[in-house]
Amino acid sequence: MSHVADVQLQVTDLAALKQSVEKMGGTFVEGQRTFKWYGRFLNDWSSSRAAVNRISPENFGKCEHAIKVPGVGYEIGVIKHPSGTGYELIFDQFGEGKKLEAWLGGENYGRVKQNYGAVVATRQLARKGYRVTTTTTPGGGIRISAIPLPT
C-alpha cells in the first residue's frame, strides 16, 4: 500500500536540514533524485497528512535530495515546496515507513520540526553575534540560550 505523507515543514535552509538530520542520526544524501517507497500510488489513503492533497502522485518517489535512516528500507524525499520557495519532506508512512514516522517524531513529525527549527535559530543567532547553547529538556524538548558576545 502507498501512504505518502507530507511532513508540512517548509525548509529554507538545506544546510540546517542536513545538520539536524545528522544530529538525529540520519544521513542527508545531497543530489539523490529518487527515494525508496512502496513504488506505486494506490489512492487508498485520505488523511489530511496525505501528500496527494498537495502533490501530484506522478511525482512520488522523485526528489531533489533524500534522507536515509539506519535500519529502515524506505527513505524520505526532500522535494521542492509547492509554493516554489524552499523544500519539504515526503515519505511513505505505511509498513516500513512506520519506522520513518517514529524517527520523525510521530504523526505530527515534532522531532524533525523541532530539531530543524533549533538548528535554524542557533545558526541565525550565531550570525548575529550571540553565543548560543542548546540543551535537551527532560521531556525531550530543546532549550536555546543566547548571550550577546562583547563588541
Side-chain angles (χ1 to χ4, degrees):
M1 296 194 160
S2 64
H3 293 84
V4 177
D6 178 357
V7 174
Q8 297 181 4
L9 168 67
Q10 190 167 5
V11 174
T12 56
D13 185 339
L14 278 178
L17 177 63
K18 180 179 180 180
Q19 186 178 346
S20 62
V21 164
E22 289 171 355
K23 279 178 77 170
M24 293 170 57
T27 303
F28 184 89
V29 185
E30 193 167 342
Q32 182 175 318
R33 297 294 184 223
T34 60
F35 66 95
K36 293 178 187 165
W37 66 300
Y38 180 71
R40 208 169 69 235
F41 177 64
L42 300 176
N43 199 21
D44 59 350
W45 190 45
S46 61
S47 167
S48 62
R49 297 181 301 128
V52 72
N53 295 329
R54 296 184 324 118
I55 300 161
S56 173
E58 66 191 28
N59 292 317
F60 291 175
K62 300 174 186 173
C63 58
E64 301 294 318
H65 313 285
I67 297 168
K68 296 177 184 273
V69 176
V72 183
Y74 285 177
E75 298 170 332
I76 300 165
V78 180
I79 65 167
K80 290 190 184 224
H81 193 275
S83 71
T85 303
Y87 300 87
E88 70 175 294
L89 311 178
I90 65 172
F91 70 103
D92 192 336
Q93 66 85 45
F94 192 79
E96 187 72 11
K98 288 291 182 194
K99 295 175 190 173
L100 289 177
E101 186 171 79
W103 184 83
L104 289 163
E107 289 185 6
N108 68 357
Y109 316 118
R111 183 172 180 238
V112 71
K113 289 177 179 181
Q114 179 175 285
N115 276 281
Y116 172 73
V119 171
V120 168
T122 300
R123 291 165 60 92
Q124 289 176 352
L125 287 165
R127 278 194 296 267
K128 291 183 179 188
Y130 289 84
R131 184 177 61 220
V132 184
T133 57
T134 60
T135 54
T136 303
T137 66
I142 299 173
R143 178 174 291 131
I144 299 172
S145 302
I147 301 169
L149 294 172
T151 53

